Amino acid sequence: AVVSTQSGHYGRDHRISSQIAAHKASKTLYSQFPKVGFWCDKLLSSKLCTDSKSQLQMTEKVTTERKAVVLKPPQKANAQAKKQVTKKPPVENAVENFLQMSVSAESKSRSLQGWVKGYPEVTPLPNTYPIKPIPGKKNNLITSALPYVNNVPHLGNIIGAVLSADCFARFCRLKNENTLYVCGTDEYGTATETKALAEGLTPQQICDKYHAIHADVYRWFNISFDYFGRTTTKQQTEIAQDIFWKVHNNGYTVAETVEQLYCGKCSKFLADRFVEGSCPFCGYEDARGDQCDKCGKLVNPTELGNPKCKVCGAAPQIKTSRHLFLDLPQFEETLGRFTAERAETKAYNNTTASITASWLKTGLKPRCITRDLKWGTPVPHPEYRGKVFYVWFDAPIGYISITANYMQDWERWWKNPDQVTLHQFMAKDNVPFHSVIFPSSLLATRDNYTLVRNLDGIDYLQYEGMKFSKSRGVGVFGDQAAATGIPSDIFRCYLLLNRPETSDTNFTWEGLAQTNNNILLNNFGNFVLRALTFCRNTFNSHVPEVTLNSDDEHFITLVNEHLGMYLTNFEGRLMGRAFESVFSISKIGNQYLQYNTPWVLAKGSAQDKARAGSVIGLAVNVAALLSVVASPYMPTIARILQEHLNLPKDRKLLVKQFVPFLKPGHSIGQPFPLFSKIDEAKVSELQQKFAGQDSGSAGPEAPSDVEALQRAIEAQGNKVRQLKTDKADPGVIQAEVKVLLDLKAKLPPELQQNNKNNKTNNKNKPQPKPQPKVQGTPAPKVTITPELAALQKQIEVQGNKVREVKAAGVEKSVIEAEVKILLDLKAKLPPELQPQPSKKEKSTDCDSALIPLLRS
């Protein structure tokens, strides 16, 4: 039977009936003996079967194994034997088959009922402008953190806010829910003034320039804003000042005289970003006056060591200035209940809930809302003329003013909590301003404002293990992505699949290529192209009638289960996990086609042809489902696929169960491949292009990147020394030495020069007089075994985790628990590798105990 099938498949000189007989025999054996089925699949798909000789060799192997299985004497039936027959074979010895995936009877019954009912009668919401809340409907108001206007967003910025919000907004629209998605550029504050100073432009010119750049970037990434605005508007001034007066008149502000840094040379108070100095927490010498880029902690300008004016370089003096503060302690109890309820219902994701809880646990303190600047929303109070609102108070109000620029009756969205659900997306550093300060400001007005319901603060995306840096050319920025030649949908898919939902993630070109080649091209694209091409070529582009058998019912149930996981994860804003369900559906779709082989059935009897029609009709409907569920991730490709399907407009909504999207006889269009391969040469080219390079204006490398590079150099140096000790092959040693030299070449010039000076000084330094030999135990040589290398890696990972929890400001008990794990790991090192703490470092304090560990 196998010989007939294979010869008929390639040779064309065997009768069709023998193929059908072979196919049926093969299917019977497949269900009883999975290992034989595995070789059948290998035979049919193997690239080795290109000539008659290789066909015969492969067929001999299959036939021999088949005889060994089929001719084996029958065994007595017992429970153990039954278990062994039905047990799924190991992955390395068998092809995973959709029939081996178990489903419950209840799930199967529910799936079949949904299929029989058919596509639900749903009227898509009309496209109206402007979009207004609809009474009795689900109304979603979606925002993403307003990007600073002073720079070009990189891929980490894009996935951190606008792309995540866009994906969720598209999902809401798929469910036929009334949805408004607004965003815009945050244009006030010192960041704009600093950029204007650097480029020799006015703040307004900077805003106009970079607002246009941001809009172009988001347009290329297909971000579906309903309105993309800005904060330098009349509406921003009016609404912010109205909120301020209500907060102030309701008794939620306090006035305090504060010490500020004043530059006598510039004749002005220095805003936080105009001051640089050493961080009071970690000692980093280039910390800003608002936050340290190394340890991530918020700082006050007056706390910096050796402060300097960023404009002129002069040392500022401390002077006093009177400011207004938002009295946050009055909202501590209310916010506590507010946060606990949202955390319990998962309306706040874990990162958001943890950060907000840490702020509440340490006790809220009054927060300054005014500052001595010119570029900002003016404070209307007569006693504070010449001051503007602090960005922490002013910027979140931008969501409201941007909506007011979109529609005149903006209060229907922002003062309508009973009918509107507010969803907000951002990176984790923005969480406190949206979970504490913004809600407190709105509560203080005593107006009926719509407060945030779902708040999604996610972790960071890194580039090839480094921080994105425009000045050093590290990473892909929004205005560079189009030049790569890779479609925006591919970037979207990879970023969303790699979304840092629970921890930091890493963008790599190899990862993007693998996602494109293995998941999109070979899995998703392969399935829909096979299904549609076969429908066009065999059934004249008309969807065949579907008559279900037990295999089809099993397949439909599996599709429904993955669709259910997709919906559950998306509702929980776990978009990466939801995307995995899309590819699970296309994967079992490929298995379904491979198992049923409609290309063979179509050449058989009328009954076989009808069966082939059922398989293809079902597969085409799965392709229609995929075009819908994939659209939040890759909207352009999904639209093209829907054009291939000629999918009716009223069938483009998301359904809760897999149902027939296309009726028998529906005519499809001309399918063609949706994806193209990204080869290794392209990956290498992009890696080199965006790896970073020296630049006269680049400035020093970020401390965290230098430290990571130095660790890599140290590890590579140890590897070279070990190879030399082991007298390895000279070619191997030379290759590793080249890797070491390449790593050293990436160091900043001043560090490279220091290394050279150290070597020169050591050569010129007078050698000490030889000392008499003293009997003693020589220092033992440490061999880096695989176990020791694994332990060192564990220590490095745990050390990074300790730094992360400290930077996040979590409670001390959590930090101490993680430090204890780190200390226990360090204790397993050989004595000669354990650092010897100095007297100053011997302390029971958690921070002090970390010093020698972090240095090592």
Side-chain angles (χ1 to χ4, degrees):
V2 176
V3 173
S4 299
T5 303
Q6 184 60 19
S7 300
H9 183 69
Y10 283 91
R12 304 177 187 277
D13 59 341
H14 283 251
R15 292 180 299 168
I16 299 301
S17 58
S18 68
Q19 285 191 47
I20 301 300
H23 168 64
K24 290 179 177 177
S26 177
K27 281 189 67 176
T28 302
L29 284 168
Y30 197 120
S31 61
Q32 295 179 17
F33 305 103
K35 196 169 184 180
V36 176
F38 161 71
W39 280 109
C40 290
D41 283 344
K42 291 288 285 185
L43 183 67
L44 291 171
S45 61
S46 175
K47 294 180 180 178
L48 296 176
C49 296
T50 54
D51 54 48
S52 58
K53 183 178 180 180
S54 61
Q55 288 176 37
L56 289 173
Q57 289 173 344
M58 287 288 287
T59 304
E60 276 186 322
K61 185 169 186 178
V62 178
T63 307
T64 302
E65 179 153 4
R66 186 170 286 212
K67 285 178 180 178
V69 176
V70 175
L71 300 179
K72 187 176 180 180
Q75 303 292 321
K76 291 183 179 180
N78 55 56
Q80 185 63 28
K82 288 180 181 177
K83 287 183 180 177
Q84 291 175 351
V85 170
T86 58
K87 184 178 179 182
K88 184 177 176 180
V91 175
E92 63 268 22
N93 293 326
V95 175
E96 188 175 5
N97 185 271
F98 75 97
L99 286 177
Q100 295 170 317
M101 303 176 192
S102 62
V103 296
S104 68
E106 181 184 357
S107 178
K108 191 172 185 178
S109 174
R110 190 168 54 248
S111 297
L112 294 179
Q113 287 175 9
W115 177 266
V116 171
K117 280 185 179 179
Y119 197 91
E121 293 295 329
V122 180
T123 303
L125 290 175
N127 291 325
T128 59
Y129 180 87
I131 301 169
K132 298 179 181 180
I134 302 173
K137 295 284 186 181
K138 180 71 180 291
N139 298 292
N140 299 295
L141 175 57
I142 299 174
T143 72
S144 52
L146 306 182
Y148 277 133
V149 78
N150 67 318
N151 56 23
V152 179
H154 55 65
L155 296 183
N157 301 138
I158 291 168
I159 185 59
V162 294
L163 180 53
S164 293
D166 172 72
C167 187
F168 189 75
R170 290 178 181 274
F171 171 70
C172 292
R173 296 179 190 125
L174 277 185
K175 293 189 297 176
N176 207 32
E177 294 176 355
N178 193 38
T179 301
L180 176 67
Y181 175 24
V182 297
C183 187
T185 43
D186 178 8
E187 303 189 349
Y188 283 135
T190 54
T192 306
E193 286 193 354
T194 306
K195 191 68 173 180
L197 195 65
E199 295 195 13
L201 300 173
T202 66
Q204 187 61 61
Q205 288 172 329
I206 283 290
C207 292
D208 295 341
K209 172 185 174 180
Y210 282 94
H211 174 81
I213 291 173
H214 276 262
D216 287 343
V217 167
Y218 303 139
R219 194 175 297 114
W220 187 82
F221 275 94
N222 215 341
I223 307 298
S224 60
F225 301 120
D226 292 299
Y227 187 76
F228 183 71
R230 52 201 306 186
T231 57
T232 51
T233 63
K234 180 183 73 171
Q235 286 86 347
Q236 173 74 11
T237 301
E238 291 174 352
I239 295 173
Q241 289 183 346
D242 176 69
I243 288 175
F244 162 74
W245 276 122
K246 289 176 179 176
V247 171
H248 180 70
N249 291 337
N250 290 337
Y252 293 110
T253 62
V254 292
E256 291 185 18
T257 299
V258 299
E259 292 184 333
Q260 288 181 245
L261 295 178
Y262 182 87
C263 180
K265 192 171 181 180
C266 296
S267 300
K268 65 177 183 180
F269 284 102
L270 297 179
D272 44 22
R273 285 178 179 259
F274 282 96
V275 185
E276 290 182 341
S278 58
C279 174
F281 300 102
C282 69
Y284 174 47
E285 293 183 355
D286 294 321
R288 299 196 312 265
D290 61 343
Q291 190 172 23
C292 175
D293 284 335
K294 184 176 182 181
C295 68
K297 290 190 175 181
L298 300 177
V299 298
N300 291 318
T302 53
E303 296 175 337
L304 294 173
N306 302 316
K308 292 181 181 179
C309 173
K310 194 172 180 180
V311 178
C312 67
Q317 299 174 329
I318 294 180
K319 287 191 174 184
T320 59
S321 180
R322 193 161 177 80
H323 286 277
L324 286 169
F325 287 68
L326 179 63
D327 196 9
L328 290 175
Q330 293 195 53
F331 299 97
E332 199 164 300
E333 186 178 341
T334 302
L335 282 177
R337 293 194 302 269
F338 185 83
T339 303
E341 186 272 333
R342 280 155 174 74
E344 185 178 351
T345 58
K346 301 297 182 183
Y348 283 6
N349 68 342
N350 290 339
T351 300
T352 298
S354 176
I355 292 172
T356 308
S358 68
W359 271 57
L360 292 169
K361 185 163 186 175
T362 56
L364 298 181
K365 299 173 180 60
R367 195 82 178 185
C368 187
I369 61 171
T370 61
R371 64 192 320 190
D372 293 295
L373 272 183
K374 293 182 179 179
W375 187 248
T377 301
V379 178
H381 198 292
E383 295 180 19
Y384 298 90
R385 296 292 183 190
K387 299 183 188 294
V388 299
F389 287 122
Y390 214 119
V391 67
W392 292 327
F393 176 79
D394 183 60
I397 298 173
Y399 301 123
I400 303 174
S401 71
I402 287 169
T403 309
N405 275 277
Y406 168 68
M407 58 186 288
Q408 189 172 1
D409 47 350
W410 58 269
E411 292 182 344
R412 293 182 61 177
W413 284 104
W414 283 100
K415 292 187 177 182
N416 191 4
D418 294 333
Q419 293 187 5
V420 174
T421 303
L422 174 59
H423 313 261
Q424 298 195 291
F425 293 84
M426 66 208 63
K428 61 185 178 184
D429 57 338
N430 262 322
V431 165
F433 311 123
H434 293 76
S435 66
V436 176
I437 296 174
F438 189 37
S440 297
S441 301
L442 298 181
L443 286 168
T445 64
R446 295 179 184 166
D447 283 350
N448 194 31
Y449 271 102
T450 303
L451 300 178
V452 61
R453 179 68 202 171
N454 297 320
L455 204 162
D456 223 45
I458 62 172
D459 290 86
Y460 300 130
L461 178 78
Q462 292 187 316
Y463 176 83
E464 300 277 3
M466 298 179 287
K467 286 185 177 180
F468 287 85
S469 173
K470 187 76 170 180
S471 63
R472 291 181 288 112
V474 175
V476 185
F477 285 72
D479 56 350
Q480 300 168 325
T484 64
I486 297 174
S488 62
D489 271 12
I490 306 303
F491 277 103
R492 286 177 61 106
C493 286
Y494 180 58
L495 291 172
L496 287 163
L497 196 59
N498 202 30
R499 185 172 179 255
E501 294 172 341
T502 56
S503 62
D504 291 354
T505 57
N506 198 27
F507 176 96
T508 67
W509 288 111
E510 287 184 354
L512 182 139
Q514 288 171 3
T515 297
N516 178 82
N517 299 341
N518 299 337
I519 298 177
L520 296 175
L521 176 62
N522 294 342
N523 178 356
F524 185 99
N526 181 50
F527 169 71
V528 298
L529 186 62
R530 291 169 80 189
L532 270 63
T533 300
F534 199 85
C535 179
R536 181 175 178 81
N537 294 342
T538 306
F539 297 97
N540 196 27
S541 298
H542 290 93
V543 177
E545 184 90 30
V546 177
T547 303
L548 301 180
N549 66 13
S550 60
D551 291 350
D552 302 331
E553 293 172 356
H554 188 85
F555 175 59
I556 289 173
T557 307
L558 287 174
V559 171
N560 263 320
E561 289 186 349
H562 287 296
L563 178 59
M565 287 186 280
Y566 170 91
L567 294 168
T568 300
N569 283 320
F570 228 134
E571 292 287 358
R573 303 173 312 283
L574 296 172
M575 293 167 237
R577 293 183 188 176
F579 206 6
E580 292 172 5
S581 296
V582 176
F583 301 126
S584 294
I585 293 173
S586 58
K587 179 182 177 181
I588 60 173
N590 276 311
Q591 292 173 357
Y592 174 75
L593 290 178
Q594 197 68 25
Y595 175 78
N596 284 284
T597 58
W599 48 88
V600 177
L601 292 169
K603 299 175 183 177
S605 64
Q607 185 179 358
D608 293 326
K609 289 178 182 177
R611 176 62 192 150
S614 293
V615 171
I616 292 303
L618 192 52
V620 170
N621 273 286
V622 172
L625 172 67
L626 288 172
S627 76
V628 174
V629 295
S631 60
Y633 301 94
M634 38 184 175
T636 301
I637 290 171
R639 178 179 52 78
I640 293 171
L641 176 55
Q642 289 175 357
E643 290 173 357
H644 293 177
L645 291 159
N646 281 335
L647 191 65
K649 188 176 180 180
D650 61 352
R651 298 294 172 96
K652 295 180 181 180
L653 294 175
L654 188 59
V655 290
K656 293 183 179 180
Q657 284 188 303
F658 175 42
V659 295
F661 281 76
L662 304 173
K663 298 178 180 179
H666 173 85
S667 179
I668 68 168
Q670 170 68 56
F672 57 83
L674 298 172
F675 308 97
S676 57
K677 185 177 181 180
I678 300 175
D679 57 30
E680 292 181 6
K682 181 69 173 178
V683 171
S684 298
E685 172 197 332
L686 294 170
Q687 285 174 331
Q688 293 176 11
K689 181 176 180 180
F690 295 100
Q693 55 190 2
D694 291 333
S695 170
S697 61
E701 186 142 358
S704 59
D705 293 344
V706 172
E707 290 172 0
L709 188 56
Q710 287 174 323
R711 286 195 298 269
I713 290 170
E714 181 181 357
Q716 185 64 20
N718 290 336
K719 186 176 182 180
V720 169
R721 283 188 287 274
Q722 189 63 43
L723 286 170
K724 289 181 177 178
T725 302
D726 297 340
K727 296 182 180 180
D729 182 86
V732 175
I733 296 175
Q734 188 176 358
E736 297 299 339
V737 168
K738 185 179 184 305
V739 173
L740 178 60
L741 294 175
D742 290 343
L743 287 171
K744 288 183 176 180
K746 294 179 181 180
L747 283 170
E750 60 272 17
L751 289 183
Q752 294 183 32
Q753 188 63 40
N754 287 343
N755 288 340
K756 292 177 182 178
N757 291 340
N758 289 339
K759 289 181 180 179
T760 305
N761 292 339
N762 288 337
K763 288 180 181 179
N764 299 332
K765 187 176 179 180
Q767 297 300 314
K769 294 179 181 180
Q771 299 294 319
K773 291 184 178 179
V774 179
Q775 290 286 9
T777 305
K781 178 184 173 183
V782 180
T783 302
I784 307 298
T785 63
E787 293 78 11
L788 181 55
L791 177 59
Q792 289 176 321
K793 181 65 177 176
Q794 281 183 286
I795 291 170
E796 181 183 353
V797 171
Q798 185 63 22
N800 290 335
K801 187 173 183 181
V802 169
R803 282 188 285 273
E804 287 175 4
V805 297
K806 283 175 65 64
V810 300
E811 56 186 283
K812 191 172 181 180
S813 61
V814 176
I815 298 175
E816 288 175 345
E818 297 298 341
V819 169
K820 186 178 184 304
I821 295 173
L822 181 58
L823 292 173
D824 290 343
L825 289 170
K826 294 287 287 185
K828 296 178 183 179
L829 285 170
E832 53 273 14
L833 290 183
Q834 295 189 21
Q836 299 300 318
S838 65
K839 292 181 179 179
K840 291 183 179 180
E841 291 168 347
K842 291 179 180 178
S843 169
T844 57
D845 181 71
C846 172
D847 294 340
S848 300
L850 276 174
I851 292 172
L853 301 176
L854 298 182
R855 285 181 182 170
S856 65

